[in-house]
Amino acid sequence: MKKIKNIFLAIGSLLLVSSCSDALDIVQPGEIYREDAFKTVSDLRKYLDGDIYSRVNNTEEIGFTTVFTDEVGIGPSNGGQDKELHRYQLNANSDEPTALWSTHYTVINRVNRLLEFANLVVVTTPADIAAKNSVLAEARALRAYSYIQLVSFFSVDPSNPNALGVILSTTPDRYDLVIDRPRVSNQIIYNLIESDFQFAETNLAPSATSYFRVTQKFVAAARARMYLYRKDYVKAKQYATLATGTLSTATTYNSMWGDAVQGECIFAAARPSGGTWSNIGSTWYFNVTTATGGAFLDMGRNLFNLYNQFPNDVRRATWIDATALINPNYATDINYVSNDVLPINKYPGKTGQNLRNDLKIFRNSEMVLILAECEVASSNLTAAATLVRSIRTARAFAAPAPALPVYANAQAAWADILLERRKELAFEGHRYLDIKRLAALAGNQGITRDNTDDDILDQPLTLPLSDYRWTLPIPQLEVAGNVSIQQNPGY
């Protein structure tokens, strides 16, 4: 990542949940105590909107996944950015796991603070009680989402309830009290997640429909993803069915990525123009999403080749910027980094803000692909094929419609779903976890880079599925400040 991330990490490391405090817990001279700021339901809502929703994002998942797997290659403006991670150099001091850990525990800690101070807000009327419970429901659903992400990346096996998970935190950390907290089993984390989602389902306001806020569909989508990762295919199917909606047409799909329409987005973290929001496009660019816009990373060649097979696919037409330098002789061109530039245009920026877009965290197409996995798990291969084709059909600009896949066995079905997830969910933070979950079922189809994805041709193109780096390390800053925590194997 760019140097600015290191600045963020220097600040963000202070937020690690078990060893340090959230900066907001520190009372400055002359400042009123935080308790005095929470008197009404409106105060709770303001804190939720301003200090919790603003922290919800999947930027770190996207950045880490694109670099570590096979979604990007070294771009023409690269001055060393992310080369170590791209070459599979991952350890407890790496920026990416530290940022991911800090991001989600910051959300969790702020939710815990809101829940604590909510006890100070006394409500008596049915309307106020419902409004307060709705605020708490949204907050608890966001806490559950952060825990899903943490378990998925930091547990060796998220599907094993007895495997070591992450730190359970249900109370706000204090700046004057350091508590050593061990990791707990996945099941203990899942128990909290289930409790949070159950409260959310019961208490969310019926008027909660904005896709920038927690809704019933957010809860269903998050539960579908969680159950899929836990290999509970019955419940994953149940909740994916509740969450999914109509797939977008090609035109609407394109507009969704430019933030012009909601499209098939179930939930997005809003990133409006102005302010100090992070820009997702700066994960790969210095300036703008063009071939000359300072691309220090561009689209991986093998991923581009997958799109390039289908010129009528909206993903081929829009996710590679029109300024791309597509060199048919890239494999033999000694200057392939400069002469074969594939600019990533999935996040084209919004009016008045280059490189910034809303972060699409849950979408209908993910739910369709979850349903496809559930059908394979139930040996309904034709049903799975129909679901996969529905996405390919929706992404086609023109006839003829894609053919219905025919799967000879479950392995072939898993492989095709993994392929479609690679194409549909690229640059959304899924590929690392998808390989971890599905590659063995799909015939050991892991990272598949092209030789030209690095500016040094003899770099490793894949990582064995047995490698310890398919689980992220507990950040060294956490280990150093928390004597009770256990590091993951290999680190």
Side-chain angles (χ1 to χ4, degrees):
M1 292 299 160
K2 296 168 62 176
K3 291 182 179 179
I4 192 170
K5 177 180 282 189
N6 294 326
I7 298 173
F8 164 78
L9 289 171
I11 299 171
S13 65
L14 299 176
L15 301 171
L16 292 178
V17 66
S18 62
S19 56
C20 300
S21 73
D22 191 309
L24 291 182
D25 284 321
I26 301 175
V27 179
Q28 301 297 334
E31 181 184 356
I32 64 171
Y33 283 89
R34 300 301 293 180
E35 291 87 340
D36 296 328
F38 293 89
K39 297 296 186 183
T40 67
V41 175
S42 178
D43 295 333
L44 297 175
R45 169 61 66 184
K46 289 177 182 176
Y47 185 71
L48 174 64
D49 290 349
D51 284 18
I52 298 178
Y53 272 113
S54 63
R55 303 284 176 170
V56 175
N57 75 81
N58 59 352
T59 301
E60 301 308 327
E61 290 94 316
I62 291 172
F64 166 74
T65 295
T66 60
V67 175
F68 192 78
T69 63
D70 46 19
E71 294 185 342
V72 301
I74 301 301
S77 297
N78 195 291
Q81 289 81 9
D82 289 320
K83 284 188 177 181
E84 291 184 356
L85 184 65
H86 194 251
R87 294 167 184 170
Y88 307 121
Q89 296 177 34
L90 179 66
N91 56 60
N93 287 307
S94 296
D95 288 351
E96 290 73 18
T98 303
L100 199 157
W101 180 273
S102 177
T103 292
H104 288 292
Y105 271 118
T106 297
V107 171
I108 290 166
N109 196 39
R110 294 191 178 204
V111 170
N112 291 342
R113 180 180 295 108
L114 175 68
L115 297 177
E116 180 182 84
F117 288 137
N119 294 325
L120 303 173
V121 178
V122 179
V123 291
T124 57
T125 69
D128 283 346
I129 292 171
K132 178 182 176 180
N133 284 340
S134 186
V135 169
L136 302 184
E138 291 175 53
R140 290 182 65 170
L142 294 174
R143 180 173 69 177
Y145 164 71
S146 280
Y147 266 123
I148 291 170
Q149 296 302 99
L150 287 166
V151 169
S152 301
F153 280 92
F154 291 98
S155 176
V156 171
D157 183 4
S159 69
N160 181 355
N162 299 315
L164 199 58
V166 291
I167 297 169
L168 181 72
S169 176
T170 57
T171 57
D173 290 328
R174 303 297 184 185
Y175 75 97
D176 55 351
L177 181 63
V178 175
I179 302 175
D180 292 325
R181 293 176 177 167
R183 297 167 68 185
V184 299
S185 70
N186 287 335
Q187 187 59 59
I188 291 176
I189 299 296
Y190 289 140
N191 289 343
L192 178 65
I193 293 172
E194 297 277 15
S195 175
D196 282 345
F197 281 146
Q198 186 58 56
F199 184 88
E201 286 182 350
T202 303
N203 291 283
L204 279 171
S207 59
T209 57
S210 170
Y211 73 102
F212 293 121
R213 293 185 180 278
V214 171
T215 63
Q216 292 289 358
K217 281 206 166 187
F218 171 104
V219 175
R223 296 188 84 158
R225 183 186 292 179
M226 174 187 67
Y227 288 127
L228 184 77
Y229 291 176
R230 294 170 66 177
K231 299 182 180 179
D232 186 339
Y233 296 108
V234 172
K235 288 185 178 178
K237 182 176 181 178
Q238 173 189 343
Y239 285 100
T241 301
L242 290 173
T244 194
T246 304
L247 293 171
S248 297
T249 64
T251 301
T252 304
Y253 189 71
N254 185 27
S255 298
M256 176 185 70
W257 291 105
D259 300 340
V261 298
Q262 175 181 352
E264 62 182 55
C265 191
I266 297 171
F267 174 76
R271 292 297 182 265
S273 296
T276 58
W277 303 95
S278 61
N279 296 334
I280 184 60
S282 63
T283 304
W284 311 287
Y285 293 92
F286 289 119
N287 301 309
V288 294
T289 60
T290 67
T292 58
F296 53 90
L297 298 167
D298 63 358
M299 186 176 289
R301 236 304 166 167
N302 283 346
L303 179 59
F304 170 78
N305 290 343
L306 289 175
Y307 295 132
N308 206 39
Q309 298 175 48
F310 306 100
N312 287 330
D313 191 314
V314 65
R315 297 169 293 194
R316 166 62 182 89
T318 61
W319 290 0
I320 297 92
D321 189 75
T323 62
L325 304 177
I326 302 171
N327 183 356
N329 301 313
Y330 70 93
T332 57
D333 188 337
I334 193 172
N335 294 316
Y336 57 87
V337 172
S338 298
N339 296 336
D340 190 54
V341 184
L342 309 170
I344 301 161
N345 199 43
K346 192 165 190 176
Y347 302 95
K350 59 175 64 191
T351 302
Q353 195 78 51
N354 290 332
L355 305 181
R356 180 174 298 175
N357 284 108
D358 302 329
L359 303 171
K360 288 76 176 172
I361 291 178
F362 293 113
R363 296 195 294 113
N364 288 338
S365 59
E366 181 192 354
M367 298 301 110
V368 172
L369 288 164
I370 288 175
L371 290 172
E373 287 193 48
C374 295
E375 296 295 355
V376 177
S378 299
S379 301
N380 297 322
L381 302 188
T382 301
T386 301
L387 288 161
V388 171
R389 183 177 64 171
S390 72
I391 292 179
R392 293 172 180 167
T393 301
R395 302 300 171 245
F397 267 129
L404 180 70
V406 177
Y407 303 138
N409 49 45
Q411 179 177 300
W414 291 121
D416 201 39
I417 291 170
L418 182 60
L419 170 65
E420 198 58 32
R421 287 184 68 94
R422 182 182 184 186
K423 293 163 61 179
E424 174 65 16
L425 304 176
F427 311 106
E428 296 180 56
H430 293 271
R431 179 70 171 156
Y432 176 82
L433 295 179
D434 285 348
I435 293 174
K436 179 178 179 178
R437 295 186 308 108
L438 292 177
L441 294 171
N444 296 323
Q445 296 191 23
I447 294 174
T448 56
R449 290 181 184 170
D450 188 86
N451 201 34
T452 60
D453 284 345
D454 202 294
D455 55 1
I456 299 177
L457 290 174
D458 61 355
Q459 293 301 311
L461 299 181
T462 193
L463 189 72
L465 299 179
S466 59
D467 194 278
Y468 66 92
R469 284 165 287 188
W470 286 108
T471 302
L472 293 188
I474 304 301
Q476 185 58 38
L477 283 169
E478 183 67 57
V479 174
N482 183 356
V483 297
S484 298
I485 202 162
Q486 182 176 335
Q487 183 57 273
N488 279 322
Y491 297 104

